[in-house]
Amino acid sequence: MKKSNLFVLLLLVLGSTAIAQHKGNYNQITQDISRQNILSAGNATIYNPVVQQQINKVLHANNVLNIDVKALQNVNATTYTAIFNLSQIGPSAETTNALMKQRVDSIKLRLNAIGISPKNFAIDVISFIPVYEVEVTKKLFSKTYTEVPKGFELQQNIHIQFTKTNQFEAILEACAKSEVYNLVKVDYFIENIQEVYKNLQGQLLKLIEDKKAYYNILGFDLSQYDVAIADDKYCYFPKDFYQSYQAYNSVSFEALDKNKGVTSVKKQTSYYYQPLTYETFDVVVNPSILEPVVQIGMHIKLVFTPKPQEKKTEPITKTKIDHKYYVISPNGTIDVKELNTKN
């Protein structure tokens, strides 16, 4: 390969790498995007279609008022619990249990050295079963295959509770030195969740009062409206928000040095923490976060509908009828006298 062609190829490879660095490795699209065109003040259009849709949104006025408010609070966990799975096999039940106890005691000793006491350590026995193998018995005219016990398998889960995230690295090291590598999960716990909901509720009620005052300034008397309400609250943990991606660039530079064809390299799958974003929230408490957190939210929606106008009814005119009563003599005379009933 000529030096000039090699130089051009290197520029193309490095150029594509620079683009990947600008955008980050996640959510990589197939179309190349120039950051310079996006940031320039020229005629370049906005790339994000969601932003375009929001800018060109058409508002439709009506006489139904909506107050829709959301609040989110990022809360650091009070305690964490890491769960590891380990299994042990042995020729007998006693030997298997002794080997397992030796590994567990080793982990406890190392954890105690970093400030995690035995009271923050628990064991959950999953199974303790015999292990069978097939034994072939040869006879004169036949073979028999029989399962015979060859040992036992003990499986346990270890629960380790800690309070600081920087302790987790030491926990991993302590488990690895005891040949425990299977991390099942890490649970997050917070003790004052009711206080968090109470704080969010207060934030939203204040915001609702501000919006009511805003509508009042615009000339809407909310006392003349019927109101309907819907509310919700939720709590999300970090395990629900890990996403995966693969590296964008996977070209082997060794192939270029050896004047060979470009060789594709297997892309490694990576994971990153992507919490809830703040676009749809009116209030965010503790918005700046450094480590995975518990995200607690509350949503209140009020719908104000104009009260139906009362129909005016005309007054009913009552006709008063004066009744007159007459008395006729029994002898048939025409002497008619009016009976006065007003006294």
Side-chain angles (χ1 to χ4, degrees):
M1 181 181 293
K2 296 181 179 179
K3 292 184 178 179
S4 59
N5 294 337
L6 176 60
F7 180 71
V8 172
L9 180 58
L10 285 174
L11 286 179
L12 292 175
V13 173
L14 292 175
S16 63
T17 305
I19 293 174
Q21 289 175 348
H22 290 321
K23 279 185 59 58
N25 290 331
Y26 70 93
N27 196 21
Q28 181 64 37
I29 60 172
T30 56
Q31 179 184 2
D32 290 337
I33 303 169
S34 172
R35 187 182 185 188
Q36 182 179 0
N37 290 337
I38 295 177
L39 296 180
S40 66
N43 297 324
T45 59
I46 298 176
Y47 170 70
N48 193 331
V50 177
V51 176
Q52 283 188 324
Q53 184 179 7
Q54 182 66 29
I55 293 175
N56 299 322
K57 184 178 181 180
V58 179
L59 299 179
H60 300 281
N62 60 68
N63 61 349
V64 177
L65 305 180
N66 289 278
I67 297 180
D68 195 343
V69 290
K70 295 180 180 179
L72 181 72
Q73 183 165 341
N74 296 319
V75 184
N76 290 322
T78 308
T79 59
Y80 308 84
T81 299
I83 301 177
F84 293 85
N85 177 268
L86 67 159
S87 60
Q88 179 66 54
I89 59 174
S92 65
E94 294 79 8
T95 304
T96 304
N97 189 49
L99 292 173
M100 175 68 80
K101 186 176 184 302
Q102 182 180 354
R103 295 170 67 187
V104 171
D105 289 343
S106 175
I107 296 175
K108 286 183 179 179
L109 184 62
R110 292 187 172 95
L111 293 180
N112 192 51
I114 62 173
I116 299 178
S117 62
K119 69 177 183 179
N120 300 117
F121 192 96
I123 296 177
D124 180 18
V125 178
I126 304 301
S127 63
F128 192 25
I129 58 175
V131 178
Y132 294 90
E133 289 185 0
V134 177
E135 185 178 82
V136 180
T137 303
K138 294 183 178 181
K139 296 183 181 181
L140 182 59
F141 299 103
S142 65
K143 291 182 180 180
T144 59
Y145 299 86
T146 308
E147 285 189 339
V148 294
K150 291 294 184 180
F152 290 84
E153 180 185 30
L154 175 59
Q155 188 173 166
Q156 294 180 349
N157 283 345
I158 298 177
H159 297 227
I160 304 172
Q161 188 179 73
F162 57 101
T163 57
K164 299 178 182 178
T165 54
N166 57 10
Q167 294 175 306
F168 188 54
E169 185 176 353
I171 294 173
L172 289 174
E173 182 180 354
C175 291
K177 288 181 177 180
S178 298
E179 300 178 353
V180 177
Y181 312 107
N182 188 2
L183 173 63
V184 179
K185 64 175 181 175
V186 178
D187 289 327
Y188 289 61
F189 299 94
I190 52 177
E191 295 180 354
N192 57 341
I193 189 169
Q194 291 300 327
E195 291 297 324
V196 176
Y197 282 126
K198 186 176 180 181
N199 178 47
L200 292 178
Q201 188 180 57
Q203 297 272 359
L204 289 182
L205 290 178
K206 182 179 181 301
L207 186 59
I208 289 173
E209 290 302 319
D210 292 341
K211 291 201 172 188
K212 284 183 177 180
Y214 168 71
Y215 283 130
N216 188 37
I217 294 175
L218 293 178
F220 294 93
D221 183 6
L222 295 184
S223 63
Q224 301 301 316
Y225 286 75
D226 292 325
V227 60
I229 184 174
D231 62 344
D232 190 20
K233 60 182 181 181
Y234 40 85
C235 180
Y236 294 117
F237 293 89
K239 63 181 178 63
D240 301 318
F241 291 100
Y242 276 92
Q243 299 184 15
S244 64
Y245 72 94
Q246 287 185 330
Y248 171 61
N249 189 19
S250 61
V251 177
S252 174
F253 283 90
E254 183 181 356
L256 299 178
D257 294 336
K258 294 182 178 180
N259 197 16
K260 294 181 178 180
V262 177
T263 304
S264 297
V265 180
K266 181 180 179 181
K267 298 181 178 67
Q268 180 182 3
T269 301
S270 302
Y271 296 86
Y272 65 98
Y273 173 61
Q274 179 61 60
L276 289 174
T277 54
Y278 305 150
E279 292 92 345
T280 60
F281 292 95
D282 302 278
V283 177
V284 179
V285 183
N286 302 329
S288 180
I289 59 175
L290 178 62
E291 62 187 45
V293 294
V294 181
Q295 294 190 295
I296 301 175
M298 183 172 286
H299 184 189
I300 298 177
K301 183 175 183 179
L302 300 174
V303 179
F304 294 87
T305 307
K307 292 182 178 179
Q309 296 182 354
E310 297 181 358
K311 295 182 179 180
K312 295 183 178 180
T313 57
E314 297 181 359
I316 299 175
T317 303
K318 294 183 178 181
T319 303
K320 185 178 181 181
I321 301 175
D322 292 332
H323 298 277
K324 293 183 179 181
Y325 301 92
Y326 297 90
V327 178
I328 301 175
S329 61
N331 56 6
T333 60
I334 308 178
D335 186 10
V336 178
K337 294 182 179 181
E338 180 180 357
L339 181 63
N340 186 7
T341 59
K342 294 182 180 181
N343 293 332

